Amino acid sequence: MRNPTTGTSTDTSSGTGRTGRPRSAAADAAILAATRDALVELGWSKLTMGDVSARAGVAKTTLYRRWAGKNELVVDAVAELFDELELPDRGSLEADIEYVVLRFAELLRRPEARTALMAVVAESTRDEALRDRIRSAIVERQKRLVVLGRERAQARGELPREEDEALADHTTDLIFDVIAGTVVHRALVSSEPVDELWVATFTALLMHGLRGPDPA
């Protein structure tokens, strides 16, 4: 069975659980790649589990053992792309933000990423279960980058530490929403370039707010 929060698979071996051979990571990767390819070529409405199974070279029953339907499959195909995002330590919070925003924008320029993301977001407006799947498989997983960036900035003394765990979680949510929402809107809705100048300006606004940095 698939864990929607982590994207990993688990096999239950209890008397009531399903047993069988361990899942193949290579097969999973082939299926998710085939899903993205089919989505770019066919679009959401025409994409079927049969299309994916044929492209991936696996039986349709193999898909249904892993995913209950197209919605879950496409979300996981998108989530796998976003899991490629990393946040190496660039030495400062500002540099970290600029780096991850540029990498995120690069990812959104890939046809399979932009097509898949726009498709699942549009479909989720009519499907609450799909919204929950997007939240757990994509949004919650990618907040790891915000958590890591804040921890580094706090260790450097660039940001204060928050003792209130609930407040810290709220701040993490807000930072993620601001960065992800702005970049997605810029790249996919406005279709404007996310270049180094734009990223530097956006980062400065995020760091200093509308008032700008204090004069030296």
Side-chain angles (χ1 to χ4, degrees):
M1 109 185 125
R2 191 165 183 83
N3 183 329
T5 302
T6 64
T8 57
S9 59
T10 56
D11 288 316
T12 54
S13 56
S14 64
T16 58
R18 182 173 60 196
T19 60
R21 290 179 299 176
R23 284 177 57 163
S24 165
D28 280 1
I31 291 167
L32 296 176
T35 301
R36 294 188 292 268
D37 290 344
L39 194 60
V40 170
E41 182 177 330
L42 303 173
W44 176 277
S45 62
K46 294 182 179 179
L47 176 68
T48 68
M49 298 291 270
D51 294 319
V52 175
S53 66
R55 289 168 185 262
V58 300
K60 197 185 301 185
T61 53
T62 301
L63 293 186
Y64 282 108
R65 280 199 299 269
R66 290 161 161 78
W67 293 276
K70 181 171 76 171
N71 287 3
E72 293 184 1
L73 177 58
V74 173
V75 170
D76 282 5
V78 178
E80 185 180 58
L81 286 179
F82 288 157
D83 284 344
E84 295 177 12
L85 290 172
E86 299 295 340
L87 185 62
D89 191 341
R90 310 290 290 184
S92 71
L93 177 59
E94 188 171 5
D96 285 353
I97 293 172
E98 290 183 354
Y99 177 88
V100 77
V101 169
L102 283 169
R103 300 292 85 75
F104 185 33
E106 286 177 2
L107 178 59
L108 292 178
R109 283 196 290 270
R110 292 164 57 177
E112 66 273 26
R114 64 191 300 133
T115 301
L117 181 61
M118 293 291 273
V120 295
V121 169
E123 190 67 20
S124 71
T125 62
R126 300 184 293 271
D127 188 334
E128 184 175 352
L130 181 56
R131 287 199 299 274
D132 291 341
R133 181 83 175 185
I134 292 170
R135 188 179 301 111
S136 62
I138 299 176
V139 175
E140 294 301 326
R141 271 157 59 175
Q142 293 312 308
K143 284 180 184 176
R144 64 187 169 83
L145 299 175
V146 176
V147 172
L148 176 58
R150 290 186 70 215
E151 288 176 347
R152 286 177 180 164
Q154 289 166 346
R156 298 185 195 110
E158 295 174 293
L159 291 177
R161 296 187 181 275
E162 292 175 329
E163 302 300 331
D164 186 324
E165 185 173 343
L167 180 59
D169 290 343
H170 176 75
T171 303
T172 295
D173 289 347
L174 181 58
I175 294 171
F176 180 87
D177 289 345
V178 169
I179 294 177
T182 302
V183 177
V184 168
H185 187 279
R186 175 80 176 179
L188 301 186
V189 180
S190 298
S191 295
E192 296 288 347
V194 182
D195 53 24
E196 292 188 1
L197 175 60
W198 184 89
V199 171
T201 305
F202 168 66
T203 302
L205 179 63
L206 188 66
M207 294 286 294
H208 306 295
L210 295 176
R211 296 177 57 183
D214 294 331

